[in-house]
Amino acid sequence: MAKSKFEYVRQFETQDPCLPNTWIVIRLDGRNFHRFSTDHGFTKPNDERALQLMNRAAETVMNDFRDIVISYGQSDEFSFVLKKSTMLYSRRASKLMTHIVSQFSSSYVFHWAQHFPDQPLQYPPGFDGRVILYPSNKNLRDYLSWRQADCHINNLYNTCFWALVQQGGMTNKQAEERIRHTFSADKNEILFSEFGINYNNEPEIYKKGTVLVWKRVEETVMKTCRTEEDPVERPREVTKLRKKAVPLHTDIIGDVFWEEHPDILEEEC
Ligand code: DGT
Ligand code: MG
Ligand code: MG
Ligand code: MG
Ligand code: MG
């Protein structure tokens, strides 16, 4: 096909391939969710519906992009880890990032009404995205540990803060001053002695966030086929094994999770 005289503008496009043989992490985060959560009546400090919706959108992403080996989410963020050897979109950073973020955003809106049947969506939410490359398994594990530690620190703070406000009758400012200089042990103590809350008994999804991993599950589908006993083609139920993303609310900082899921981290070469 003849090229137009405008064709040269293509040369201005830059290539942005991710370095080979590195873990590709894509993290997205809700845009101005401080306001979005208020406008949509999220319960404080944690809204179960909102977290389940985030997880649902992330499951959709994983089921669409099967080179993702593990995902981790908390609050208004989710991280997706693509396998080191992926050649998806020739490892082009902007392609990978924009596809994952836009698929997540549209899924979040698509599934909204199912999770918030009594709360109409007031305006379209948005998510930012970034790409981070990690060369070693240790770097990747440290990244995921960092996000889960962040979840724990924020959740302990928020649980304590909102107990002081909602049950202790403090203003936001008083509660903030009360816990500003406290350590984790102090916050645990405030929760237990003043409000009878044992932080250890708080739901795991709040304390640990959500890890999505692949699991082989049996799936029953209808298929038109023959069998050995019946040579006539007709619709039949057949079961097959299919990889499905399943949520866990478990520790990923220690070694146990990684020992139980040895296939996530490929052998380093
Ligand atoms: P950004 O990310 O710079 O556009 O700004 P934000 O406002 O999204 O800030 P970020 O991402 O640092 O913090 C997440 C916000 O989302 C934070 O203000 C609390 C809110 N949020 C997330 N999950 C929940 C929830 O389950 N319940 C409530 N009430 N708020 C939540
Ligand atoms: Mg945000
Ligand atoms: Mg922020
Ligand atoms: Mg955030
Ligand atoms: Mg196109």
Side-chain angles (χ1 to χ4, degrees):
M1 208 168 69
K3 288 184 174 181
S4 79
K5 67 173 180 177
F6 307 118
E7 190 76 17
Y8 80 96
V9 296
R10 237 181 190 289
Q11 293 163 22
F12 286 68
E13 290 183 13
T14 51
Q15 298 297 315
D16 59 351
C18 295
L19 197 70
N21 201 35
T22 50
W23 295 107
I24 302 173
V25 175
I26 292 168
R27 182 168 82 250
L28 54 79
D29 183 286
R31 173 173 172 242
N32 204 357
F33 261 47
H34 183 70
R35 186 179 144 223
F36 184 84
S37 58
T38 307
D39 290 343
H40 292 85
F42 285 14
T43 54
K44 293 171 191 298
N46 293 292
D47 189 305
E48 176 84 26
R49 302 163 301 174
L51 294 174
Q52 295 297 354
L53 175 57
M54 289 290 290
N55 296 348
R56 185 75 183 78
E59 270 173 44
T60 311
V61 168
M62 258 179 106
N63 288 322
D64 283 353
F65 298 94
R66 305 184 75 83
D67 275 2
I68 294 170
V69 290
I70 184 171
S71 312
Y72 175 74
Q74 50 124 338
S75 182
D76 67 339
E77 68 169 64
F78 239 99
S79 299
F80 299 92
V81 182
L82 286 149
K83 66 179 185 186
K84 271 181 143 176
S85 59
T86 188
M87 284 312 291
L88 194 60
Y89 301 116
S90 309
R91 298 177 72 87
R92 287 160 63 192
S94 50
K95 264 278 202 205
L96 291 168
M97 194 253 281
T98 53
H99 268 313
I100 285 180
V101 177
S102 76
Q103 204 65 33
F104 185 94
S105 302
S106 61
S107 302
Y108 189 92
V109 172
F110 187 76
H111 295 295
W112 174 271
Q114 224 183 317
H115 292 266
F116 285 90
D118 306 319
Q119 170 62 64
L121 194 54
Q122 306 288 322
Y123 46 82
F127 295 85
D128 70 17
R130 70 193 72 195
V131 180
I132 318 128
L133 302 179
Y134 289 113
S136 71
N137 288 358
K138 178 180 187 308
N139 292 154
L140 178 68
R141 272 190 59 177
D142 286 348
Y143 169 80
L144 293 165
S145 299
W146 173 51
R147 296 325 302 145
Q148 191 167 53
D150 184 84
C151 174
H152 164 71
I153 292 163
N154 289 337
N155 188 57
L156 179 58
Y157 181 95
N158 292 336
T159 306
C160 196
F161 177 89
W162 288 107
L164 289 166
V165 172
Q166 291 168 342
Q167 296 168 55
M170 283 189 179
T171 63
N172 287 12
K173 191 164 179 289
Q174 286 169 332
E176 201 242 293
E177 277 167 10
R178 173 79 199 277
I179 52 177
R180 188 185 299 159
H181 300 298
T182 57
F183 295 109
S184 290
D186 306 320
K187 294 187 192 74
N188 275 301
E189 185 54 29
I190 292 173
L191 282 171
F192 193 68
S193 59
E194 296 183 30
F195 304 104
I197 298 170
N198 183 342
Y199 183 76
N200 290 331
N201 297 338
E202 287 290 292
E204 293 297 307
I205 185 172
Y206 300 164
K207 292 185 295 184
K208 304 252 172 34
T210 299
V211 192
L212 290 171
V213 292
W214 293 111
K215 203 177 159 193
R216 284 192 188 281
V217 290
E218 274 195 359
E219 209 177 56
T220 310
V221 289
M222 291 304 287
K223 197 178 163 194
T224 305
C225 57
R226 306 184 176 94
T227 64
E228 269 177 35
E229 301 79 41
D230 179 3
V232 182
E233 279 210 345
R234 45 179 122 238
R236 304 166 199 278
E237 278 191 351
V238 292
T239 46
K240 53 181 187 179
L241 278 176
R242 191 175 152 77
K243 274 195 335 179
K244 207 171 163 270
V246 293
L248 304 172
H249 312 293
T250 188
D251 177 82
I252 54 171
I253 297 175
D255 292 333
V256 175
F257 171 84
W258 300 99
E259 283 159 9
E260 285 174 356
H261 300 87
D263 44 328
I264 296 174
L265 302 176
E266 296 159 11
E267 260 178 54
E268 289 201 76
C269 51

